[in-house]
Amino acid sequence: MLSRFASPRMSRSLPALSLILLCPIVPCSAQHSPDEKQYRINSQIPLQADLLIPLNAGKLARGTPVLAKTRLDWQSPTCLIRTGALVSGRIVDFERRSKQNKGSSLSVLFDSANCDGHVTPVGLTLVGLIVKPHVDEESPLLDNDFVTASGPIQTIPGSPQYSPQARLAYRDVRSLGIGGYNANGPSHIAPGAVIGLRKVTLSVGTGPEGSSVLTAVKGNILLEPETTQLVLMPSAAAVPGDAWTATARAEPPRMPPAPISTGVSKPELAPAVQPETDETEICIAPCSVVPSSIGHELSRASSTVSAAHFGYTPHDHREYQTFGYESTLIYLDSDNLLFTFDPHTLRQRYAGGVHSETMRTVRAILLDPRTQAVKRVHEWQVQGEGQYIWGAGPGKILVHLGHQLRLLGPDLDVVRSIALSGRLTFVSVSPSGDRIAAGVLHERHTKQIHDLLVSAVHMEPEEDVDIQLFDRDFNVLLTSRQSSTQPAPILSDDGEIRVTSAGNDRWRISEHLWNHTDRPVATTVSGCRPNVSTPLPKLLFLVGCSSSRVENWYRMLRLDGHPILQGHGSPQEIEQSSSSSTQGEFVVRVVHAGRPIYNNNDWFHKEDLIKQDFSVYRAADGRRLFLTTTPGVSLVEQSFALSPGGNQLAILSDATISFYPIGTSTVSKSDR
């Protein structure tokens, strides 16, 4: 199974992930109905939201929009606001820093929200502000709070019974104080509290039109997205009356009122612990280190076939940031190799909600890998420009055709298929093919709100992704919804692999099992967020980088955290990936550039790439069995395939498919 691994240059920074609940499809659908009893109407629970666009008092004007997205589901008697929905307001008044005034102020008013898909006038008052550093924390696809077919339907996140996310108690705005604060946020908060900003105060509901006023003693107020959380309340609840507001301004209490806790206990400070050992850096037999030099003896192809005979012409004379899916190579079994490519016929576009849908033609050539004879030719309609074919266990592949996922056998006959309800965003398959996770885009916003967000943040807004987890017969096991900014789940045969921040360039890798338990794998050190995949059962392929991000590394780990292979890269190595269709061997591809390419924003051309190395390793101990280098770098992810028997490697270079024999019983001479 081939899995994409970008080098640190290609990795994307990911925002914090919210808790995901998995449940069978029927209960999940019912859970999101506004008429269900589990949605508690409680206007005294605060609405928590993340700021979407920066607010700089030195660059604002009256009427400037203020946009935020909600962190949790929330409901008042007149409005159901779902997680990730848009809450909008405006700057009513402001004062910049000047020679006469060393400070600044902002008067903010929120007057509308996306109430269950409809923009509705809603009076909301800013009553608290929390600014904290961004922490990269993932939540598992499978969580202990998921709903089973026989279990109860969960109340919505944000209700008092949902303590993991109901962080803020706000039952009486006149009697709340600032409580303890931990990584998840404060457990209780007072009206007018500003946490994380020094010398900034908040006056609740005292500005023009009932707006709240932020005031800085010195400098222009600056609020950044992703680190600024807003605490909002319905205007009537947030400002009980003019008399109370005036009293609060004229006679501020000398001591804060007694806090009302949410039931979340204040965390005790843990004693300092010694840093964990990075077991992934310790290569103890059975384990191999990739040699720093290639050596002089490279394997040669036993046969080649020109892909141009099938109508394939590489279209690679443009700028790239990542490799794509213009063509693919994949073994269905030892007697069938599938070569697919885009002949670049005219695209067809269809209207589909806010986003249009692109359909392209893909030509599929089924080859005999021994004789290179053509067995069958198909042309498929594929949605979008992303990946459309995946290995799905012995003798099967999964293909995204039209609005379906189809499981195909060795002769490209359809074994099973399932319809998709929307635009496919990802597919993740476990190494054995027993579990398949598919994510479908669910547009969160109306066209009006979508256009407003695009004009404000100058990028496509966050959407929802509906996830279904299938078994090999396409029976639905679990369903979930997550943000489109979150990565696709990484499936092992026993659960899901997670990578979470442990601080100071340390990353914790763990496996969340289907029986609801968590199994630690390892803690590793990397200056960037590591990329991880599962090319073989019980093995993980990991790509990370040094603290300076100048050099990168890759490792193949067992699930006990110990490596069987270690390789160190350089700024010239822009792509490192691994794949396998066997149980005993795997392939590592390393692409070399002629110049350093350091970060995600670097563009490159084909002319910048000088060669690609392919090595085949034994999974038991990491010993190298095969090595070759080709100068014609193919700018696609799935440009190589290892036969199920492990005795042949097919490589696409430019417009040529080369076949290399592999002797699995001996070790490569250059590795001795």
Side-chain angles (χ1 to χ4, degrees):
M1 183 177 97
L2 186 143
S3 301
R4 179 181 182 278
F5 285 92
S7 67
R9 183 198 63 79
M10 294 183 179
S11 62
R12 299 287 190 267
S13 60
L14 299 171
L17 306 184
S18 61
L19 188 66
I20 299 173
L21 301 179
L22 285 184
C23 55
I25 188 168
V26 175
C28 258
S29 299
Q31 182 178 344
H32 289 287
S33 170
D35 300 326
E36 292 293 339
K37 294 182 180 179
Q38 68 266 20
Y39 289 106
R40 296 173 178 269
I41 298 176
N42 189 341
S43 60
Q44 298 304 310
I45 297 175
L47 172 60
Q48 303 170 59
D50 291 326
L51 188 67
L52 283 178
I53 58 177
L55 296 180
N56 186 340
K59 299 180 179 179
L60 294 176
R62 291 176 180 84
T64 297
V66 180
L67 304 178
K69 67 174 181 178
T70 56
R71 297 173 59 84
L72 305 170
D73 288 2
W74 183 89
Q75 186 172 8
S76 74
T78 59
C79 180
L80 169 62
I81 302 178
R82 300 191 184 278
T83 301
L86 181 70
V87 179
S88 58
R90 52 191 167 88
I91 299 297
V92 179
D93 200 0
F94 69 96
E95 187 173 3
R96 296 190 181 98
R97 178 186 180 278
S98 63
K99 293 182 179 180
Q100 293 75 28
N101 180 20
K102 299 301 182 182
S104 61
S105 65
L106 296 176
S107 298
V108 184
L109 178 68
F110 286 89
D111 50 17
S112 66
N114 185 355
C115 296
D116 205 14
H118 304 283
V119 180
T120 305
V122 177
L124 294 168
T125 300
L126 178 66
V127 298
L129 190 69
I130 304 169
V131 177
K132 64 175 184 176
H134 170 70
V135 179
D136 180 19
E137 294 179 348
E138 286 189 23
S139 293
L141 176 69
L142 179 65
D143 189 88
N144 291 337
D145 292 325
F146 80 106
V147 181
T148 63
S150 59
I153 297 177
Q154 288 278 357
T155 56
I156 64 169
S159 69
Q161 294 182 0
Y162 196 83
S163 59
Q165 290 198 18
R167 299 295 306 169
L168 302 177
Y170 204 104
R171 296 181 179 85
D172 187 342
V173 297
R174 289 168 291 184
S175 62
L176 294 183
I178 301 176
Y181 183 85
N182 57 34
N184 294 320
S187 56
H188 32 269
I189 191 170
V194 178
I195 300 175
L197 282 181
R198 299 180 60 187
K199 298 182 180 181
V200 175
T201 60
L202 173 64
S203 180
V204 178
T206 60
E209 304 179 43
S211 59
S212 294
V213 183
L214 278 167
T215 304
V217 176
K218 186 178 180 180
N220 285 318
I221 296 173
L222 175 62
L223 302 179
E224 295 285 0
E226 297 186 0
T227 60
T228 303
Q229 297 178 16
L230 311 176
V231 182
L232 308 174
M233 286 292 293
S235 298
V239 186
D242 294 336
W244 173 79
T245 304
T247 301
R249 284 185 294 169
E251 300 177 6
R254 297 181 181 179
M255 296 293 292
I260 297 178
S261 175
T262 61
V264 180
S265 60
K266 184 176 180 179
E268 297 181 0
L269 294 178
V273 296
Q274 297 297 323
E276 299 176 71
T277 302
D278 187 353
E279 296 179 342
T280 69
E281 292 182 340
I282 304 173
C283 192
I284 301 177
C287 175
S288 297
V289 177
V290 177
S292 57
S293 59
I294 291 180
H296 300 288
E297 296 188 21
L298 300 175
S299 300
R300 296 186 177 183
S302 60
S303 59
T304 61
V305 60
S306 173
H309 293 331
F310 311 131
Y312 172 67
T313 302
H315 289 69
D316 47 23
H317 298 291
R318 59 183 178 88
E319 286 188 319
Y320 287 81
Q321 278 187 299
T322 61
F323 288 0
Y325 298 94
E326 180 189 48
S327 55
T328 71
L329 280 175
I330 187 168
Y331 277 93
L332 282 74
D333 58 21
S334 297
D335 299 321
N336 294 281
L337 174 69
L338 185 64
F339 170 54
T340 70
F341 64 93
D342 185 347
H344 290 275
T345 57
L346 185 65
R347 261 58 167 172
Q348 296 177 338
R349 294 186 178 274
Y350 302 93
V354 176
H355 302 273
S356 62
E357 180 181 82
T358 302
M359 301 293 288
R360 58 173 170 151
T361 298
V362 168
R363 188 170 300 164
I365 311 293
L366 188 62
L367 297 170
D368 185 328
R370 296 184 180 89
T371 65
Q372 290 81 54
V374 176
K375 292 184 173 182
R376 300 180 68 175
V377 178
H378 286 277
E379 287 203 348
W380 296 330
Q381 288 295 305
V382 174
Q383 182 191 71
E385 302 296 326
Q387 187 173 356
Y388 57 88
I389 189 169
W390 301 264
K396 295 184 179 64
I397 58 170
L398 190 66
V399 183
H400 177 212
L401 301 180
H403 292 90
Q404 288 186 332
L405 282 177
R406 297 183 186 178
L407 192 65
L408 307 183
D411 296 324
L412 301 184
D413 296 326
V414 178
V415 178
R416 295 178 187 88
S417 63
I418 187 169
L420 299 173
S421 59
R423 184 155 62 100
L424 186 70
T425 58
F426 66 77
V427 167
S428 182
V429 184
S430 65
S432 65
D434 288 338
R435 296 291 184 269
I436 301 168
V440 175
L441 185 71
H442 178 91
E443 292 180 349
R444 179 182 293 177
H445 311 289
T446 63
K447 189 177 189 308
Q448 176 187 2
I449 296 176
H450 180 274
D451 293 342
L452 175 63
L453 287 171
V454 170
S455 63
V457 301
H458 307 293
M459 61 183 297
E460 284 295 316
E462 179 182 3
E463 304 283 7
D464 292 322
V465 176
D466 292 329
I467 305 174
Q468 289 183 304
L469 182 69
F470 304 96
D471 62 15
R472 62 169 56 249
D473 296 323
F474 279 164
N475 296 312
V476 178
L477 302 177
L478 300 168
T479 65
S480 178
R481 177 172 289 184
Q482 71 176 36
S483 165
S484 59
T485 62
Q486 297 174 220
I490 303 162
L491 301 185
S492 66
D493 281 342
D494 298 321
E496 180 196 1
I497 304 299
R498 291 183 64 201
V499 179
T500 55
S501 173
N504 296 326
D505 291 342
R506 302 186 72 84
W507 303 87
R508 186 171 293 110
I509 304 170
S510 59
E511 183 181 25
H512 288 259
L513 306 178
W514 301 128
N515 63 3
H516 321 310
T517 60
D518 183 272
R519 180 164 62 193
V521 176
T523 298
T524 190
V525 177
S526 174
C528 55
R529 187 181 186 278
N531 290 282
V532 64
S533 186
T534 53
L536 279 170
K538 309 299 182 182
L539 292 181
L540 306 179
F541 188 70
L542 198 66
V543 179
C545 65
S546 62
S547 297
S548 63
R549 302 197 179 196
V550 174
E551 296 181 349
N552 53 40
W553 49 258
Y554 58 93
R555 296 163 190 165
M556 187 69 77
L557 306 180
R558 295 190 295 269
L559 286 180
D560 62 3
H562 291 88
I564 61 172
L565 179 71
Q566 287 186 334
H568 297 277
S570 70
Q572 284 81 14
E573 293 183 8
I574 70 165
E575 182 77 2
Q576 296 154 326
S577 60
S578 175
S579 75
S580 180
S581 58
T582 78
Q583 297 296 311
E585 297 83 29
F586 60 89
V587 188
V588 174
R589 175 204 193 193
V590 177
V591 177
H592 299 266
R595 62 178 178 87
I597 300 178
Y598 293 106
N599 55 62
N600 297 339
N601 298 320
D602 273 5
W603 294 84
F604 62 91
H605 297 82
K606 180 177 173 61
E607 292 74 17
D608 296 323
L609 310 180
I610 56 177
K611 65 176 181 176
Q612 53 185 356
D613 300 335
F614 295 91
S615 301
V616 178
Y617 297 94
R618 194 163 56 202
D621 55 12
R623 296 303 300 272
R624 187 158 65 186
L625 308 173
F626 169 90
L627 173 65
T628 194
T629 297
T630 64
V633 179
S634 178
L635 299 182
V636 295
E637 292 290 344
Q638 296 168 291
S639 62
F640 61 101
L642 183 65
S643 66
N647 57 356
Q648 188 180 65
L649 179 67
I651 297 175
L652 176 65
S653 300
D654 292 332
T656 300
I657 303 174
S658 303
F659 296 87
Y660 293 84
I662 299 173
T664 57
S665 60
T666 60
V667 178
S668 170
K669 293 181 180 180
S670 60
D671 194 34
R672 292 177 179 174

